[in-house]
Amino acid sequence: MKIAYTVEEVRKQVKAWRQEGLTVGLVPTMGYLHEGHASLMKKAVEQNDRVVTSVFVNPTQFGPTEDLEDYPRDFDQDCKLCDSLGVSLVFHPEPSEMYAPDFCTWVNMDVLSKTLCGKSRPIHFRGVCTVVSKLFNIVTPDRAYFGQKDAQQLAIIRRMVRDLNMDIEIVGCPIVREEDGLAKSSRNTYLNAEERKAALILSQSIFLGQKMAEEGETDAAKIKNAMVEKIQTEPLAKIDYVEVVDGLSMQPIEKIEGATLVAIAVYIGKTRLIDNFILQ
Ligand code: PAF
């Protein structure tokens, strides 16, 4: 497995693969890789001749009061995992390699990025769309892999690819959970023992909402209220949002008919965690 720190090194390697007629998959990550990321890389290795994983804590998707400095990092461990899964190249640029001091071109999405996480993180998706576009331009993959845990991010990237005619297949992969239900996340590492227990309220409320929907409940408010009440039983939990939205537009709906996303963001102490389920 190779490690590249510059755009030029990646381009050179991808060009050589292209000359051999090989297909390329990209798994964009911010590192501190867990089994959720591993599932993306496994899928990418299955579906492509070569796989690039980017490990880059992207500063432009963090707000001024968010956890950019504290975001967990363990590059050596990340490389071991990538290598063991058959990744061919890890791209690990410095922020200065990705953003020139006078950088001023952004990929900004309306509508989909204004609801859910976009409300409390107003610049987040601009940063995500911009860095993902840059990674797409650098790696020029055939396919790129994203987790369903960041459901709004996945919907936004699918829309960006469609709207900007990017010739890349976006592959979404299911949420990976701990044995007790908590969705895997690099941010779970912030939780102390008491908070880790309290964090189970997220998956418990997700499973409750999912059961109601599967049993035929189509009233979004009823599902939402039941989930809110469940989360409120946990004293350490503070709700950012519980929303039922259209699966494509990310806009709130009243009645569940077609593809629907039920998504939550909850603070456990200072840690903001997200979870969701989708209905087709
Ligand atoms: O999901 C993430 O880890 C990030 O938002 C991504 C897609 C790697 C962009 O920085």
Side-chain angles (χ1 to χ4, degrees):
M1 189 187 74
K2 287 190 184 165
I3 300 173
Y5 297 94
T6 65
V7 172
E8 201 188 326
E9 287 169 273
V10 177
R11 289 222 161 109
K12 212 170 141 201
Q13 178 61 80
V14 172
K15 197 173 169 196
W17 290 335
R18 292 294 184 204
Q19 279 165 355
E20 290 179 60
L22 301 174
T23 58
V24 179
L26 169 67
V27 183
T29 82
M30 298 208 300
Y32 212 71
L33 305 175
H34 50 68
E35 283 167 52
H37 298 111
S39 74
L40 305 181
M41 294 192 274
K42 279 182 199 156
K43 188 100 203 153
V45 168
E46 250 171 60
Q47 295 185 334
N48 303 274
D49 299 318
R50 295 290 181 270
V51 171
V52 179
T53 296
S54 58
V55 174
F56 179 59
V57 182
N58 172 38
T60 65
Q61 68 189 72
F62 289 79
T65 60
E66 291 181 357
D67 56 343
L68 173 62
E69 295 307 322
D70 297 336
Y71 197 83
R73 292 160 169 92
D74 190 343
F75 186 59
D76 290 344
Q77 194 56 39
D78 290 346
C79 285
K80 278 187 196 141
L81 180 69
C82 291
D83 195 21
S84 74
L85 293 174
V87 168
S88 302
L89 179 72
V90 172
F91 178 40
H92 184 47
E94 286 292 325
S96 57
E97 178 69 11
M98 294 295 276
Y99 295 104
D102 54 352
F103 182 92
C104 58
T105 307
W106 299 98
V107 180
N108 212 355
M109 187 174 295
D110 291 334
V111 188
L112 283 77
S113 66
K114 304 293 178 211
T115 58
L116 308 175
C117 291
K119 267 193 186 164
S120 49
R121 307 186 73 190
I123 63 155
H124 176 65
F125 290 115
R126 182 185 77 158
V128 170
C129 286
T130 302
V131 81
V132 170
S133 300
K134 285 168 69 67
L135 291 166
F136 285 178
N137 286 334
I138 294 163
V139 179
T140 62
D142 298 282
R143 300 180 191 83
Y145 297 78
F146 296 88
Q148 179 62 44
K149 185 177 145 259
D150 296 299
Q152 187 178 18
Q153 169 173 282
L154 177 57
I156 285 175
I157 287 165
R158 284 191 197 286
R159 181 64 66 93
M160 176 181 83
V161 163
R162 191 206 70 178
D163 284 355
L164 298 183
N165 306 95
M166 295 171 166
D167 191 13
I168 297 168
E169 183 190 337
I170 301 302
V171 182
C173 299
I175 296 178
V176 179
R177 296 183 180 278
E178 302 286 354
E179 246 169 55
D180 60 6
L182 181 67
K184 300 246 182 197
S185 163
S186 306
R187 289 191 169 95
N188 291 349
T189 182
Y190 296 148
L191 303 168
N192 65 30
E194 194 192 359
E195 290 169 341
R196 174 64 184 77
K197 261 192 218 154
L200 282 183
I201 204 66
L202 278 96
S203 50
Q204 285 168 2
S205 82
I206 286 293
F207 298 150
L208 171 69
Q210 196 164 16
K211 185 160 176 282
M212 286 173 76
E214 280 168 6
E215 285 172 359
E217 183 58 69
T218 57
D219 184 337
K222 279 195 184 149
I223 293 180
K224 190 172 149 166
N225 290 343
M227 291 173 67
V228 166
E229 274 175 29
K230 176 84 191 167
I231 298 167
Q232 283 170 341
T233 62
E234 172 49 61
L236 291 183
K238 191 173 148 275
I239 294 175
D240 179 6
Y241 65 77
V242 175
E243 292 289 357
V244 181
V245 299
D246 175 82
L248 287 177
S249 71
M250 302 288 110
Q251 302 309 301
I253 53 170
E254 285 174 11
K255 197 168 161 47
I256 296 174
E257 282 161 335
T260 302
L261 169 69
V262 181
I264 65 177
V266 178
Y267 286 92
I268 301 293
K270 283 192 181 143
T271 306
R272 185 176 174 281
L273 299 174
I274 58 175
D275 202 343
N276 69 79
F277 66 93
I278 43 174
L279 298 161
Q280 291 306 337

